[in-house]
Amino acid sequence: GGGVSRFFRHPRGEFDNETGLYSFVFTDGTVAADDNITAQPTIYIDGNVLANIQPPGGAIQAEHQGRHFIVEEEYPGTRVRYSKPYAQGIAVEHAALLYLDVPPEGGDITALWSSSSWLVVAKASRLYAYSGTGLTNTLLGTNYGNPYLLSEAIGCTNQKTVVLVPGGVMFQAEDRIWLLAGRAVKPIGDAVRFWTDPRTERTGAPLVIIKAVHLPAQSLVIFLTDGDALVYNYLYGQWATWTAHEATDGTEAGGVLFFKVASDDTVRLDDSTTYLDGTSPVVLTIETGWLSFAGLLGYKRIYRMLLGGQNITAHTLIIKLAFDLEPTWVDSLSFDSTALVRFGAEAHMGAGTTNYQGQGYQVEIRPSRQKCTSIRVQIKDDDPTGSGQSYDVTGLSFVAGLKTGTARRGSRRRAS
């Protein structure tokens, strides 16, 4: 009379799944008496544990503090649900009362990610951070706090571009790739903005970034696109582009990049032990932006350029120079690594070698136009052969603005 029924888990129950049946008879053949079942575990909601519900539908998801977070599809701009804490051997459990509200400003939520102790909720033009640990399975503790506005102008436009790197989280915004480092939002992708900004003058519009893949062993983040891949080396803080990497998706496994190509149904992998694309050698091309040594459009004399490199195998470098923001290459110079000669103290410079392979070299380039506002450089192998690496560039420097002759000090001056 008025008591609360307790439910226990049955220790064993097996039956055949037959299609077309809407009911079945379960025969309890493992427990001799009803009182024996009380020795079995009780149903999980005993002790005021929150009842489980079906997780809501939604494509924007993340893991944070051992919980599963998902943007509720029915409220895509204002509601993020989170699960109970993960428990070993138990599937992810959601509950009706575990959620957090997001300010409606900025439109729909576009991405979620875990950043240190924060849950970051991104919209196309806003970033919010939530601190705290959330409610327990029995509604104890406090819910995640009010959102902290990290940025009211910069947001994330693509969940698949979110990637954790040393020092922060990289992600794609409307115009370029940004880095969230602590509470600071920094434009880390300015060097490749030509490929990502919708306002670019690039023929064919900006690249569509498909997926960001992190390769920690190589200190690389590869942004796969519908064209060339954009690659950031965070060890050196340098960007590059990879040809022949047009993709529809990609991932990392065992430290190797795998990507689904757009042209057919094959999945390809990046093999760092070879410099071949299939059977064709890959040409390493180094191309700088415009370099100015006298401020914006100021004139300066550039007497020579010094290129430091390593002679790995025989190669011929083609070095091109452009001047004064002009779109054409003016100088085209060649350097044959097989024509290296010794100079200076032979005991220290190539002693005991005949082909100088494995040795470092320095190439001096004299531009045809010394007085200029800016200069641009392109370096590439003229005719790569074999599957290995032919050269490595280790440094590039310029001798600019020097005046020959004796420098004299003026006479003494007095000021009063």
Side-chain angles (χ1 to χ4, degrees):
V4 177
S5 300
R6 299 190 68 190
F7 294 89
F8 298 86
R9 181 179 299 168
H10 194 281
R12 180 174 178 267
E14 298 177 357
F15 58 90
D16 294 332
N17 182 19
E18 298 183 29
T19 59
L21 295 180
Y22 294 95
S23 63
F24 61 91
V25 177
F26 174 73
T27 303
D28 180 359
T30 61
V31 178
D34 289 342
D35 56 356
N36 290 341
I37 202 171
T38 59
Q40 305 303 322
T42 59
I43 196 168
Y44 74 95
I45 58 173
D46 277 1
N48 297 322
V49 175
L50 294 173
N52 295 335
I53 65 168
Q54 177 73 21
I60 308 300
Q61 305 180 36
E63 181 182 1
H64 175 63
Q65 295 178 335
R67 297 178 187 258
H68 173 236
F69 287 77
I70 181 170
V71 177
E72 190 166 351
E73 199 170 41
E74 189 174 353
Y75 307 99
T78 57
R79 179 66 55 86
V80 176
R81 290 197 172 273
Y82 61 92
S83 72
K84 302 175 185 178
Y86 294 158
Q88 187 175 0
I90 300 177
V92 177
E93 299 175 324
H94 278 261
L97 297 178
L98 300 182
Y99 63 87
L100 53 90
D101 292 319
V102 181
E105 291 79 11
D108 290 350
I109 299 168
T110 55
L112 301 172
W113 68 80
S114 179
S115 180
S116 186
S117 60
W118 293 344
L119 172 74
V120 178
V121 179
K123 298 188 175 186
S125 60
R126 287 176 178 259
L127 293 177
Y128 296 99
Y130 287 81
S131 62
T133 57
L135 297 169
T136 68
N137 294 353
T138 56
L139 281 183
L140 297 178
T142 57
N143 202 356
Y144 290 95
N146 293 326
Y148 175 83
L149 182 61
L150 293 171
S151 172
E152 60 181 349
I154 305 302
C156 176
T157 58
N158 188 347
Q159 169 87 42
K160 289 190 173 183
T161 64
V162 176
V163 58
L164 177 65
V165 298
V169 177
M170 298 177 70
F171 59 93
Q172 179 191 12
E174 182 181 0
D175 58 350
R176 73 194 93 168
I177 296 169
W178 293 75
L179 174 73
L180 176 63
R183 295 188 179 187
V185 183
K186 304 177 181 180
I188 199 171
D190 279 354
V192 292
R193 189 172 178 179
F194 173 75
W195 287 272
T196 61
D197 194 328
R199 293 162 292 187
T200 183
E201 295 299 322
R202 174 181 179 268
T203 302
L207 294 173
V208 177
I209 299 180
I210 306 298
K211 180 74 176 293
V213 181
H214 185 201
L215 299 180
Q218 302 179 47
S219 303
L220 297 178
V221 179
I222 297 95
F223 290 88
L224 297 169
T225 77
D226 59 348
D228 294 345
L230 307 177
V231 183
Y232 181 66
N233 187 316
Y234 52 79
L235 182 61
Y236 296 103
Q238 298 292 330
W239 283 92
T241 56
W242 285 1
T243 58
H245 279 73
E246 183 179 358
T248 58
D249 207 347
T251 190
E252 177 271 339
V256 177
L257 169 66
F258 292 82
F259 61 99
K260 164 68 175 63
V261 298
S263 58
D264 53 46
D265 292 330
T266 61
V267 175
R268 303 182 185 178
L269 61 90
D270 180 62
D271 184 0
S272 60
T273 64
T274 179
Y275 286 76
L276 298 176
D277 180 18
T279 58
S280 303
V282 177
V283 179
L284 171 62
T285 302
I286 300 173
E287 191 170 289
T288 71
W290 286 104
L291 307 174
S292 179
F293 301 96
L296 182 63
L297 298 183
Y299 279 91
K300 199 83 168 181
R301 286 196 179 275
I302 300 176
Y303 292 92
R304 60 186 182 273
M305 183 180 80
L306 302 176
L307 170 67
Q310 184 179 11
N311 180 23
I312 299 175
T313 60
H315 62 277
T316 298
L317 291 183
I318 300 298
I319 303 165
K320 295 183 178 181
L321 303 178
F323 305 93
D324 298 326
L325 303 182
E326 296 174 358
T328 57
W329 300 107
V330 177
D331 293 351
S332 182
L333 311 168
S334 65
F335 165 69
D336 185 357
S337 70
T338 63
L340 287 172
V341 295
R342 297 175 180 173
F343 68 95
E346 293 186 359
H348 303 286
M349 303 297 295
T353 64
T354 56
N355 59 13
Y356 301 99
Q357 289 189 9
Q359 300 287 319
Y361 56 63
Q362 181 173 285
V363 183
E364 181 177 294
I365 299 100
R366 296 181 180 272
S368 64
R369 188 186 303 179
Q370 287 191 353
K371 188 177 181 180
C372 59
T373 63
S374 53
I375 189 171
R376 191 180 182 195
V377 183
Q378 183 191 86
I379 305 165
K380 69 176 182 178
D381 195 344
D382 181 41
D383 185 21
T385 58
S387 61
Q389 183 180 7
S390 58
Y391 74 100
D392 189 13
V393 172
T394 56
L396 187 65
S397 59
F398 295 84
V399 180
L402 297 180
K403 181 180 179 181
T404 59
T406 303
R408 301 182 182 277
R409 296 179 59 186
S411 58
R412 293 183 179 182
R413 303 271 195 253
R414 285 187 177 181
S416 62

